[in-house]
């Protein structure tokens, strides 16, 4: 019978123990046979981490545009007969040397700044500039401001165009038919928004386009009403309003002496 050396027996025993230990570790780690009968635990697959969305507030800059109205401006210039065209003729109560062209800014019915010109007597220039400054600052709407010469000197055509005007060498329109110079012939009267502020002379409305505005209780833009910005602007410079005339109110008319 062969004799085994003790050290070899110990080495074989140790080797057998190592093999057994490796088998146990391999089984525990799932590294054994793929055969299901081995009883090895199936590998576990973990789901991916849930996606988390974090809302981050991003500051938003909003541009705010503020429109600042242009400042009121006005200028004054002398006039000659050629500048007045058909609105002046020889025999008028004042000559061109007594008149001035006053250019003013105003607000139209769309809220836009416009420039227009009035021909007035030289002694009313300061008052006219002050009046239209007040109207501009109050944002009171005016249809247009042009010298009557643009309408061939015709008061009827100027009124129909809803034109605000001053000087015009013409007679006054009177209910009694008496012939006399109008204050417009001296450059000391201004008619404002004639359509919105017609002259009611009995059954006659001047201009006819102003008929819808004879109802003064229905206040609409551009109208002259007691205590309103238009009447008050003229009153502040001492001018009087024809809308207060008894029996034949001339709502468009303002004059330096009330005539």
């Amino acid at each position: 019978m062969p004799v085994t050396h003790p050290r070899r027996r110990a080495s074989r025993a140790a080797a057998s123990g190592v093999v057994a230990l490796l088998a146990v570790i391999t089984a525990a780690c799932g590294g054994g046979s793929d055969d299901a009968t081995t009883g090895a635990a199936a590998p576990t697959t973990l789901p991916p981490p849930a996606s988390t969305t974090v809302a981050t507030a991003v500051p938003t800059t909003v541009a705010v545009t503020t429109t600042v109205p242009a400042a009121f401006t006005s200028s004054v210039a002398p006039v000659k007969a050629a500048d007045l065209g058909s609105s002046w003729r020889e025999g008028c109560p004042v000559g061109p040397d007594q008149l001035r062209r006053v250019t003013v800014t105003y607000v139209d019915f769309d809220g836009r700044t416009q420039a227009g010109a009035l021909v007035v007597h030289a002694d009313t220039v300061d008052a006219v500039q002050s009046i239209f400054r007040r109207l501009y600052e109050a944002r009171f709407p005016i249809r247009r401001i042009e010298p009557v010469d643009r309408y061939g000197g015709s008061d009827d055509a100027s009124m129909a165009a809803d034109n605000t005007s001053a000087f015009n060498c013409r007679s006054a329109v009177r209910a009694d038919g008496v012939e006399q110079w109008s204050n417009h012939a001296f450059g000391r009267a201004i008619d404002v928004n004639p359509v919105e502020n017609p002259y009611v002379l009995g059954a006659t409305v001047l201009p006819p386009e102003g008929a819808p505005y004879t109802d003064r209780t229905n206040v609409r833009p551009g109208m002259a009403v007691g205590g309103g910005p238009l009447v008050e602007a003229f009153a502040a410079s001492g001018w009087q309003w024809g809308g207060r005339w008894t029996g034949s109110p001339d709502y468009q008319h303002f004059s330096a002496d009330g005539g």
Side-chain angles (χ1 to χ4, degrees):
M1 177 177 187
V3 177
T4 303
H5 194 278
R7 290 187 61 181
R8 291 183 178 175
R9 287 198 301 270
S11 297
R12 290 177 181 173
S16 298
V18 170
V19 171
L21 177 61
L22 288 175
V24 172
I25 292 173
T26 301
C29 293
S33 170
D34 290 338
D35 192 343
T37 60
T38 62
T44 301
T45 302
L46 298 178
S51 175
T52 303
T53 302
V54 179
T56 303
V58 178
T60 302
T61 301
V62 178
V64 178
T65 302
T66 302
T67 302
V68 178
F72 173 80
T73 62
S74 64
S75 60
V76 183
V79 296
K80 298 179 180 179
D83 300 321
L84 301 174
S86 54
S87 67
W88 183 86
R89 62 185 182 278
E90 292 291 344
C92 290
V94 296
D97 61 314
Q98 296 173 274
L99 300 171
R100 300 291 183 272
R101 180 186 177 96
V102 180
T103 300
V104 297
T105 49
Y106 65 95
V107 177
D108 67 14
F109 276 70
D110 293 321
R112 299 171 301 188
T113 297
Q114 305 285 1
L118 296 154
V119 175
V120 299
H121 198 282
D123 63 15
T124 70
V125 166
D126 289 345
V128 169
Q129 289 178 301
S130 179
I131 289 165
F132 281 88
R133 177 185 293 277
R134 287 188 174 92
L135 292 175
Y136 183 80
E137 291 175 349
R139 311 299 290 172
F140 181 83
I142 297 175
R143 186 75 61 188
R144 58 176 52 86
I145 303 177
E146 298 177 326
V148 174
D149 178 52
R150 296 282 181 87
Y151 301 89
S154 169
D155 188 49
D156 290 339
S158 179
M159 287 192 296
D162 207 13
N163 179 49
T164 293
S165 65
F167 173 77
N168 192 12
C169 185
R170 63 175 177 83
S171 298
V173 178
R174 295 173 55 98
D176 58 15
V178 174
E179 188 77 15
Q180 70 176 57
W181 288 116
S182 164
N183 264 341
H184 289 280
F186 296 89
R188 294 193 178 103
I190 299 175
D191 290 341
V192 182
N193 292 345
V195 171
E196 288 77 15
N197 302 300
Y199 181 15
V200 183
L201 190 62
T204 302
V205 178
L206 301 173
E209 292 82 0
Y213 290 89
T214 55
D215 177 6
R216 307 307 287 181
T217 62
N218 181 14
V219 179
R220 284 149 284 177
M223 290 176 60
V225 294
L230 179 57
V231 174
E232 291 303 301
F234 278 92
S237 291
W239 286 45
Q240 298 182 49
W241 179 38
R244 293 195 172 100
W245 293 351
T246 303
S248 56
D250 193 351
Y251 296 110
Q252 66 195 263
H253 185 80
F254 296 88
S255 62
D257 65 1

